[in-house]
């Protein structure tokens, strides 16, 4: 018997969340963003939930090939484009659309002389200052791309820096000004803009995190009013129980001290499973369906919980680390991070199954 920890991936939750995005951006087509192996879920596992998407967007060429091999016939977008000549060959062979954020990438495509023109997403840096052409050089970049052999359709693209907490208008105005009168479709919105900035929906939205039921802002309260479903459950069991006396401490650094007599449960889950080590005392967790809190330091293979609200819990009691009841955003914010990171960090040693 291995340790009792297990993760569950729910493709029907992804399907449900995708429908919600569709309803919120009814005029737009949807790229389902599945980079980083579908935000740690495994592309193959979420794939059955993606049928209704118009395209699949990701970064890794190898992941793109896997998606084609799963039978996906609709578009696939490489969000960071190509890096080598052989990438262009693969993009051509598998019919991939590629983001193009610098002239070096355009030159790679031209030099590879593809027989079938490759569609590109020409990326503007409208203020994020990571990738893309500056607004003032965008039109020239578009002209060069348009007159390049081997390049097919050009879609105009940018990415927002703070769609989750502020305005996107400062970037949208930049983007609209620099693309005025340019033909082609537009794609600018990530999850946050798809949820909260309808003026930015345009032709294609690019939701990632909402498909997995977490908040783009990292705050579960921001998505309380929409019925997203968690696409990942991390579950384990109690493998030990300690009766603590007032003044006793638990775990490394004696970081939690009992104020009165209490029972502590020991959960088979630690940071080597992907649970955040920085999750503070008080992080929500459920035991036998009862919400309680973690206490003390998270260690490599174990963490400890307050059993005061669940006096009947004992060895073998079921623990939800995150999922339907324990919001991954709440665990993340208690550890000063975001749901995205926890999903992506699920450790290889955790067995994963697909369930509804
Ligand atoms: C990751 C990514 C997205 C999706 O972002 P979410 O915040 O997960 O919705 C959209 N567009 C680009 C270019 C990305 O890299």
């Amino acid at each position: 018997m291995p340790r009792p920890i297990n993760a569950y991936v729910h493709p029907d939750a992804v399907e449900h969340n995708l429908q919600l995005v569709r309803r919120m951006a009814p005029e737009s087509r949807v790229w389902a963003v599945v980079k980083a192996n579908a935000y740690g879920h495994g592309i193959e596992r979420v794939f059955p939930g993606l049928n209704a998407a118009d395209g699949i967007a990701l970064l890794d060429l190898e992941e793109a090939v896997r998606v084609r091999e799963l039978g996906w016939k609709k578009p696939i977008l490489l969000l960071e484009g190509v890096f080598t000549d052989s990438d262009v060959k693969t993009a051509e062979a598998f019919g991939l659309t590629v983001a193009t954020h610098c002239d070096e990438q355009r030159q790679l495509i031209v030099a590879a002389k593809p027989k079938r023109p490759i569609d590109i997403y020409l990326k503007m840096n409208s203020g994020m200052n990571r990738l893309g052409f500056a607004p003032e050089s965008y039109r020239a970049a578009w002209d060069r791309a348009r007159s390049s052999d081997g390049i097919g359709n050009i879609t105009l693209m940018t990415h927002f820096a703070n769609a989750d907490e502020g305005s996107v208008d400062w970037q949208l105005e930049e983007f609209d000004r620099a693309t005025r009168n340019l033909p082609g479709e537009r794609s600018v919105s990530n999850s946050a803009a798809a949820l909260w900035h309808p003026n930015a929906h345009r032709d294609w939205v690019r939701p990632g995190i909402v498909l997995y039921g977490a908040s783009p802002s990292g705050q579960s309260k921001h998505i309380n009013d929409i019925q997203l479903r968690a696409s990942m459950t991390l579950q384990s069991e109690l493998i030990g129980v300690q009766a603590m006396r007032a003044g006793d401490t638990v775990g490394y650094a004696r970081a939690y001290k009992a104020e009165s007599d209490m029972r502590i449960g020991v959960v088979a889950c630690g940071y080597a499973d992907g649970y955040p080590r920085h999750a503070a005392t008080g992080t929500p967790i459920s035991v036998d369906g009862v919400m309680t809190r973690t206490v003390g330091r998270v260690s490599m293979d174990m963490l400890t919980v307050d059993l005061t609200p669940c006096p009947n819990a004992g060895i073998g009691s079921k623990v939800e680390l995150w999922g339907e009841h324990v919001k991954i955003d709440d665990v993340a914010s208690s550890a000063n991070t975001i749901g995205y990171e926890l999903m992506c960090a699920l450790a290889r040693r955790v067995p994963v199954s697909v369930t509804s």
Side-chain angles (χ1 to χ4, degrees):
M1 185 63 191
R3 297 163 71 231
I5 188 167
N6 285 288
Y8 300 92
V9 165
H10 316 297
D12 55 340
V14 174
E15 184 171 25
H16 166 88
N17 297 335
L18 182 59
Q19 294 305 341
L20 279 185
V21 173
R22 273 214 176 287
R23 250 176 275 150
M24 299 184 85
E27 310 288 315
S28 307
R29 274 163 289 159
V30 180
W31 287 111
V33 179
V34 301
K35 63 192 180 190
N37 201 22
Y39 290 48
H41 290 62
I43 289 177
E44 286 78 3
R45 297 189 190 103
V46 301
F47 187 74
L50 301 177
N51 272 327
D54 299 293
I56 288 182
L58 36 65
L59 297 187
D60 281 9
L61 214 48
E62 178 257 336
E63 291 184 352
V65 170
R66 271 162 56 203
V67 167
R68 276 284 179 256
E69 285 170 355
L70 287 168
W72 185 256
K73 302 276 194 307
K74 290 185 263 186
I76 297 177
L77 172 61
L78 281 185
L79 289 164
E80 282 181 3
V82 291
F83 300 96
T84 65
D85 174 65
S86 112
D87 290 356
V88 185
K89 298 274 193 310
T90 309
E92 183 188 6
F94 290 87
L96 311 181
T97 302
V98 302
T100 301
H101 62 77
C102 59
D103 201 55
E104 287 78 355
Q105 289 186 318
R106 182 192 63 85
Q107 290 168 20
L108 271 177
I109 298 172
V110 172
K113 298 192 190 325
K115 290 179 200 68
R116 251 192 315 178
I118 292 182
D119 294 341
I120 68 167
Y121 266 50
L122 192 68
K123 187 161 187 179
M124 181 190 302
N125 167 23
S126 58
M128 180 75 158
N129 285 314
R130 289 190 317 194
L131 302 177
F133 296 92
E136 56 276 17
S137 51
Y138 192 79
R139 197 164 288 263
W142 188 90
D143 286 335
R144 278 196 305 278
R146 186 61 300 155
S147 54
S148 295
D149 288 335
I151 291 182
N153 269 330
I154 305 174
T155 301
L156 317 181
M157 171 192 195
T158 195
H159 191 58
F160 294 133
N162 62 343
D164 56 322
E165 50 190 23
S167 166
V168 296
D169 293 346
W170 61 287
Q171 285 186 265
L172 207 51
E173 281 161 22
E174 200 70 75
F175 178 78
D176 286 340
R177 189 174 326 120
T179 57
R180 189 166 297 134
N181 302 325
L182 281 180
E185 294 184 325
R186 270 78 172 155
S187 177
V188 299
S189 286
N190 53 9
S191 294
L195 296 187
W196 299 317
H197 301 283
N199 60 328
H201 286 168
R202 308 299 163 94
D203 300 292
W204 289 83
V205 292
R206 306 190 303 266
I209 194 71
V210 284
L211 301 181
Y212 310 101
S215 174
S217 67
Q219 302 281 319
S220 65
K221 62 172 189 256
H222 293 154
I223 53 168
N224 275 345
D225 56 338
I226 46 174
Q227 309 307 315
L228 292 172
R229 285 177 51 196
S231 58
M232 182 191 285
T233 303
L234 183 59
Q235 246 182 33
S236 189
E237 290 180 9
L238 295 188
I239 57 169
V241 174
Q242 295 295 332
M244 303 243 294
R245 310 297 303 269
D248 285 352
T249 63
V250 61
Y252 289 119
R254 311 187 69 188
Y256 179 77
K257 187 179 194 179
E259 279 166 16
S260 49
D261 295 0
M262 68 187 290
R263 289 167 79 239
I264 294 279
V266 181
V267 183
C269 176
Y271 61 79
D273 299 300
Y275 194 90
R277 197 183 79 91
H278 295 288
T281 286
T283 302
I285 188 165
S286 95
V287 177
D288 280 342
V290 178
M291 290 298 284
T292 179
R293 59 178 186 139
T294 66
V295 289
R297 288 272 169 93
V298 173
S299 46
M300 185 182 285
D301 311 307
M302 283 173 261
L303 57 81
T304 39
V305 297
D306 182 356
L307 294 183
T308 310
C310 27
N312 298 322
I315 289 177
S317 285
K318 287 267 182 278
V319 175
E320 183 181 294
L321 287 309
W322 59 68
E324 186 185 348
H325 308 286
V326 180
K327 304 285 176 226
I328 196 169
D329 291 318
D330 296 339
V331 177
S333 57
S334 177
N336 254 314
T337 182
I338 51 179
Y340 297 71
E341 189 183 20
L342 301 194
M343 292 173 183
C344 292
L346 183 73
R348 291 177 75 96
R349 79 177 190 184
V350 178
V352 184
S353 8
V354 174
T355 62
S356 57

